[in-house]
Amino acid sequence: SRLANYNKHNDDERFGVAWALWYVLHSMLEGNETAQKVGIVVVGYPHHAKLSYLDRKLMKMNVESLSGCIPVRLGGFHICHPPWFFGKVAFPLMKLVMPERMRKRVRVHVGSEEKVLKELEEVGMGREVLPSEIGGDVILDNDGWMQERKMAGL
């Protein structure tokens, strides 16, 4: 099939991505009783995603981690401004490997920045909690966060 050409990731790369997901999720849960009890909401912004990044095995690994291994409640998964192929290829693949309960929590937001921000606000996420990349007020500093974790020995 056409997708067979795109799954060029090896198992070491897949495990690296899965371990990174585990690390970030455990970091979020560590000492955060609210996240442990109520759950987390993921906001995805796949603006640089390419069809060649699709990897069904990796999707399955990550979905299985979220639904059975990592003790995290997924309150919602919001995908903002997905690329053209998302609805035709990526989302159908994701739905194949997602449990029904998780599928019901996925929302896709398309349209203008203001339309997407309005939809997110309607579900309780105002600009004050959203990253600047999608029009929110939060400036993410991934490198700084990693340095802080490293300095703390985590």
Side-chain angles (χ1 to χ4, degrees):
S1 86
R2 183 175 173 200
L3 283 179
N5 297 329
Y6 293 110
N7 292 326
K8 296 179 181 175
H9 307 101
N10 63 43
D11 285 340
D12 287 341
E13 291 168 329
R14 287 184 187 106
F15 282 117
V17 171
W19 290 333
L21 175 66
W22 277 57
Y23 179 79
V24 170
L25 290 174
H26 280 280
S27 297
M28 291 171 30
L29 293 172
E30 184 180 11
N32 186 337
E33 284 188 38
T34 302
Q36 292 172 17
K37 290 178 183 174
V38 178
I40 64 167
V41 175
V42 175
V43 177
Y45 180 46
H47 63 292
H48 291 300
K50 296 179 182 171
L51 191 55
S52 61
Y53 295 170
L54 285 181
D55 186 327
R56 186 173 175 179
K57 288 181 183 178
L58 179 60
M59 281 186 210
K60 190 172 192 302
M61 285 175 75
N62 287 330
V63 165
E64 287 173 349
S65 290
L66 285 170
S67 62
C69 299
I70 301 173
V72 63
R73 293 185 197 314
L74 185 62
F77 195 108
H78 297 268
I79 302 163
C80 302
H81 307 290
W84 66 269
F85 60 84
F86 183 80
K88 296 183 185 329
V89 181
F91 197 49
L93 277 176
M94 287 171 62
K95 290 195 300 191
L96 283 174
V97 297
M98 279 184 181
E100 181 181 349
R101 185 175 174 180
M102 188 181 290
R103 272 194 313 268
K104 289 180 179 180
R105 289 178 161 80
V106 176
R107 299 287 179 263
V108 180
H109 305 278
V110 296
S112 69
E113 182 178 291
E114 288 306 313
K115 178 182 181 284
V116 169
L117 288 172
K118 184 176 187 240
E119 289 175 1
L120 292 170
E121 187 167 16
E122 288 171 359
V123 294
M125 289 185 288
R127 289 177 191 257
E128 69 279 357
V129 298
L130 295 169
S132 59
E133 287 84 357
I134 62 168
D137 298 334
V138 178
I139 297 173
L140 299 176
D141 179 11
N142 295 324
D143 292 336
W145 180 78
M146 286 301 295
Q147 283 297 344
E148 287 175 23
R149 303 280 303 166
K150 188 176 180 180
M151 299 272 288
L154 303 170

